[in-house]
Amino acid sequence: MLNYTTLTFNNGVTIPQFGLGVFRSEVGEETAQAVQWALEAGYRHIDTAMAYRNEQDVAEGIRRSGVAREEIFITTKCATGDIEKRQALDCFNRSLDNLKTDYVDLYLLHWPVPNYEEAYEVITRLYEEKKIRAIGVSNFQVHHLQNLERLGYLTPAANQIELHPAFQNREVKEYCGEKGIIVEAWSPLGGKDFLLLDHPVLNAIGKKYGKSAAQVIIRWHLQIGNVVIPKSVHQNRIIQNSEVFDFELADEDMAAIRALDTNKRAYWDPERFGTR
Ligand code: A2P
């Protein structure tokens, strides 16, 4: 078993700080196999979404692993189309069917699209009914979080945002820190088209510790208090990414990574997401 660290949400529920992401893991065998390998390697946290269309494959990977449902922290997300069409409840119930479970550990609104306030009310009720252990949001900017607060809604447990050394998303990260909202980093390695894994600074740091650039980045996330959910469909990388609890980056290395911020997103801007 890995020496996992956990973080505690504002409602007392704990989340393994490290997990497997399955965005862009293909529907079918690829995702089921990745989830099975991850659970066999000691992962206990899987992050999926209705929009990834692979929740059923996540369930299949869990079934094959033989690990009990209660031992696994499952996150899924309400799809933007369902938020806009006021179908959040239906979307949630479809996720339960897909995942073959009767509760979700963390349920997020995937993007701040129109009607997200109403969807947040829906998931708050599901939380009160104990069908969800913690609720949160994804890709919310500071003004979206302020809007939820202004409306008197429950403070989200988590905000899952694009965050990696080349885009450190500092304004949102700092605001969440002030409000006790846990930040989850998506595309934590910078995504497949980004060249962070070849970055000379990250590779030089890795050499010092006998670790890869990917492991250095994952460790950096852990040390700045992020939940980190790297995606891989290769068994050797799935294992490698989890071997990050046996070293600690020195302050000078943390500072060198902090200096890599370009403040440029690799992916979609939440302010414009879904607009045509
Ligand atoms: P693959 O699934 O083929 O391993 P992110 O999570 O930041 O979006 O980036 C994940 C990308 O990096 C995926 O394309 C994944 O591809 C690749 N990846 C994941 N772990 C590693 C690793 N340890 N070394 C190299 N590439 C990795």
Side-chain angles (χ1 to χ4, degrees), residues 187-192 197 214 229-234 237 240-241:
S187 203
L189 304 178
K192 73 177 185 347
L197 297 180
I229 43 170
K231 171 261 181 188
S232 182
V233 296
H234 296 100
R237 291 176 177 172
Q240 184 202 114
N241 291 348

Side-chain angles (χ1 to χ4, degrees), residues 175-196:
Y175 184 81
C176 287
E178 283 162 25
K179 296 289 174 181
I181 301 168
I182 300 272
V183 167
E184 302 193 292
W186 66 254
S187 203
L189 304 178
K192 73 177 185 347
D193 301 324
F194 235 56
L195 301 172
L196 276 181

Side-chain angles (χ1 to χ4, degrees), residues 79-134:
T80 54
D82 290 309
I83 297 171
E84 290 195 55
K85 289 186 212 137
R86 302 188 156 93
Q87 294 172 173
L89 179 60
D90 180 57
C91 185
F92 176 75
N93 285 325
R94 276 184 279 129
S95 284
L96 290 187
D97 281 354
N98 289 342
L99 290 163
K100 300 188 177 50
T101 184
D102 54 9
Y103 72 97
V104 166
D105 293 280
L106 177 64
Y107 195 62
L108 307 177
L109 299 185
H110 210 145
W111 288 87
V113 293
N115 303 327
Y116 75 78
E117 297 91 339
E118 191 177 314
Y120 199 79
E121 286 180 27
V122 171
I123 70 171
T124 301
R125 281 200 297 278
L126 292 166
Y127 169 69
E128 287 163 356
E129 291 165 12
K130 304 204 181 321
K131 291 181 176 157
I132 303 173
R133 295 177 65 227

Side-chain angles (χ1 to χ4, degrees), residues 185-232:
W186 66 254
S187 203
L189 304 178
K192 73 177 185 347
D193 301 324
F194 235 56
L195 301 172
L196 276 181
L197 297 180
D198 296 326
H199 200 291
V201 169
L202 295 166
N203 280 285
I205 294 172
K207 270 214 179 73
K208 276 173 57 178
Y209 299 92
K211 295 286 178 181
S212 70
Q215 289 170 314
V216 168
I217 298 173
I218 294 166
R219 184 69 215 175
W220 171 79
H221 282 287
L222 296 174
Q223 288 184 212
I224 61 170
N226 292 343
V227 168
V228 57
I229 43 170
K231 171 261 181 188
S232 182

